Amino acid sequence: MLQNYISDQEILYRAIKPYPNWWKAEINRPSSAAFKDSRGVSVDRDFARPPEQVIKELRNRFTLKSVVSIGANVCREFETFPVSKPLPNQPEHAEIHRSEHEIELTSGQARKLSKAAKIEYFCHTI
């Protein structure tokens, strides 16, 4: 059973889908658009799983351009709010919100997250 509170030590993984506006090909990085979602930025918590396992599970669920990671502590440094949002078949699901009371990130927050995200997996054929 996952804890509701996301500790600063946890790593959050974002599936970057092959949407043209989610990837900046000229710099080979996710764009800030990949971190803009009015329903919250959907991520998977690592919860002590090795990165390879998290990436494999994301690849099994989605067609991906990339998987990026960011520490929960970094999210908090950028004044965003990681929140546990378990789903029935995906207990490690979480979201990154603007604040405790607002969901969609500001453009500045999305930009900071996109620049700080570490590329864990990249598909060259998409």
Side-chain angles (χ1 to χ4, degrees), residues 18-88:
Y19 304 140
N21 66 331
W22 278 30
W23 194 260
K24 287 187 167 185
E26 64 277 7
I27 60 171
N28 211 28
R29 302 260 330 136
S31 72
S32 60
F35 292 89
K36 292 288 283 183
D37 191 322
S38 61
R39 297 170 296 161
V41 178
S42 179
V43 293
D44 268 19
R45 300 166 66 179
D46 70 343
F47 203 65
R49 294 176 296 163
E52 303 79 28
Q53 182 181 348
V54 178
I55 293 164
K56 181 180 178 184
E57 290 172 12
L58 288 170
R59 290 182 68 196
N60 286 339
R61 288 201 315 263
F62 304 109
T63 299
L64 298 176
K65 175 73 175 175
S66 176
V67 174
V68 298
S69 66
I70 192 157
N73 62 324
V74 175
C75 292
R76 291 187 177 106
E77 285 173 20
F78 296 150
E79 298 181 354
T80 62
F81 191 76
V83 58
S84 180
K85 291 278 189 169
L87 301 172

